[in-house]
């Protein structure tokens, strides 16, 4: 877990998967067979796992936040800075990396693709903010204080406490957040494997 420049806590992770040795031999040669970060991004958004899960959900939602999904049908679409696809927008790009920002329904985060020059792997990472104000609910929060305690508390200059309803909501948000992390980790690994399969399929088609 990390903090942004604004001091907001966020979750970050990154995963790598090794490429077949033949790609190491052509890396940096300018060959059409070498793999770029744009190739990885295109394979990611067209792979079987993404198309079966996230794309299907986003495509079924009619919203101005979801950009045209048909853009990837055009080879000219190369994930340049400012380009948008579904709920992602390219915010940084160089020779070996692409960083995209996504936002939908009040949620937001980043997706990162990288093809290191020296290592024969592809890297995939993501981040999203950790919910703030997730106080844990205790048993005392559900027990009504005695009249004597009310009198004592009323005589003190105590800071205003978080309402019980907010504490309960935050408790469930914390539970959901903690459950979602292992699911996210597993899903990310399946996504990366599916991305590699799609990438190899596209590169092999160039040889036909």
């Amino acid at each position: 877990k990390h903090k942004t420049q604004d001091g907001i806590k966020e979750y970050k992770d990154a995963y790598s998967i090794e490429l077949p040795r033949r790609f190491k031999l052509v890396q940096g040669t300018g060959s059409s067979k070498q793999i770029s970060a744009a190739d990885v991004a295109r394979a990611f958004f067209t792979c079987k796992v993404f198309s079966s899960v996230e794309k299907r959900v986003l495509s079924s939602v009619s919203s101005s936040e979801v950009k045209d999904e048909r853009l990837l049908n055009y080879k000219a679409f190369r994930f340049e800075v400012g380009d948008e696809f579904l709920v992602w927008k390219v915010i940084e790009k160089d020779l070996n990396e692409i960083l995209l920002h996504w936002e939908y329904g009040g949620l937001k985060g980043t997706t990162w693709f990288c093809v290191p020059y020296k290592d024969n792997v592809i890297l995939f990472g993501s981040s999203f903010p950790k919910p703030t104000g997730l106080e844990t609910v205790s048993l005392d929060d559900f027990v009504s204080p005695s009249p004597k305690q009310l009198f004592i508390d009323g005589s003190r200059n105590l800071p205003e406490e978080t309402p019980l309803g907010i504490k309960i909501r935050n408790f469930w948000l914390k539970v959901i957040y903690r459950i979602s992390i292992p699911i996210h980790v597993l899903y990310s690994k399946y996504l990366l494997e599916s991305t590699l399969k799609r990438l190899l399929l596209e590169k092999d088609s160039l040889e036909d």
Side-chain angles (χ1 to χ4, degrees):
K1 297 179 178 63
H2 306 266
K3 284 189 177 181
T4 64
Q5 292 181 348
D6 298 328
I8 300 174
K9 290 183 179 180
E10 64 177 10
Y11 173 87
K12 286 185 178 181
D13 59 20
Y15 304 93
S16 67
I17 192 167
E18 190 170 356
L19 290 165
R21 187 174 182 275
R22 68 178 187 269
F23 293 105
K24 179 70 172 178
L25 301 176
V26 299
Q27 191 70 10
T29 64
S31 168
S32 61
K33 297 178 183 179
Q34 75 177 31
I35 293 174
S36 67
D39 293 330
V40 176
R42 182 180 296 275
F44 174 88
F45 289 116
T46 56
C47 74
K48 185 175 182 180
V49 171
F50 181 87
S51 299
S52 300
V53 183
E54 290 182 69
K55 185 179 179 181
R56 180 171 296 182
V57 172
L58 292 171
S59 298
S60 66
V61 178
S62 178
S63 171
S64 59
E65 297 179 75
V66 181
K67 306 303 178 182
D68 194 345
E69 64 179 82
R70 296 170 296 179
L71 288 172
L72 290 187
N73 295 334
Y74 303 99
K75 292 296 183 181
F77 187 82
R78 297 296 296 171
F79 295 93
E80 301 297 338
V81 173
D83 285 349
E84 296 178 307
F85 173 72
L86 292 177
V87 297
W88 283 264
K89 181 177 182 178
V90 181
I91 56 175
E92 290 185 30
K93 180 182 180 181
D94 62 23
L95 187 62
N96 300 316
E97 299 180 64
I98 293 178
L99 181 65
L100 303 98
H101 176 268
W102 60 265
E103 185 169 359
Y104 182 77
L107 302 175
K108 59 184 178 180
T110 59
T111 303
W112 173 68
F113 305 107
C114 179
V115 183
Y117 181 73
K118 294 183 179 181
D119 300 318
N120 194 36
V121 299
I122 55 177
L123 302 175
F124 159 58
S126 57
S127 72
F128 48 86
K130 178 182 177 181
T132 58
L134 301 186
E135 298 89 353
T136 301
V137 177
S138 65
L139 180 61
D140 292 339
D141 292 321
F142 296 93
V143 179
S144 298
S146 64
K148 180 180 179 181
Q149 188 63 41
L150 284 173
F151 175 79
I152 295 174
D153 291 344
S155 64
R156 297 173 180 169
N157 185 21
L158 296 176
E160 184 178 353
E161 291 187 359
T162 304
L164 176 59
I166 300 298
K167 288 186 176 182
I168 295 175
R169 183 206 65 181
N170 290 344
F171 169 77
W172 286 112
L173 283 176
K174 176 179 282 187
V175 171
I176 293 171
Y177 175 78
R178 288 183 173 177
I179 292 175
S180 68
I181 293 300
I183 297 174
H184 166 78
V185 170
L186 182 62
Y187 177 63
S188 295
K189 293 178 179 179
Y190 277 117
L191 262 178
L192 187 54
E193 290 180 0
S194 185
T195 297
L196 177 60
K197 290 180 181 179
R198 178 67 184 180
L199 187 62
L200 296 180
L201 183 64
E202 292 180 354
K203 290 299 180 180
D204 289 343
S205 67
L206 297 176
E207 301 178 1
D208 297 336

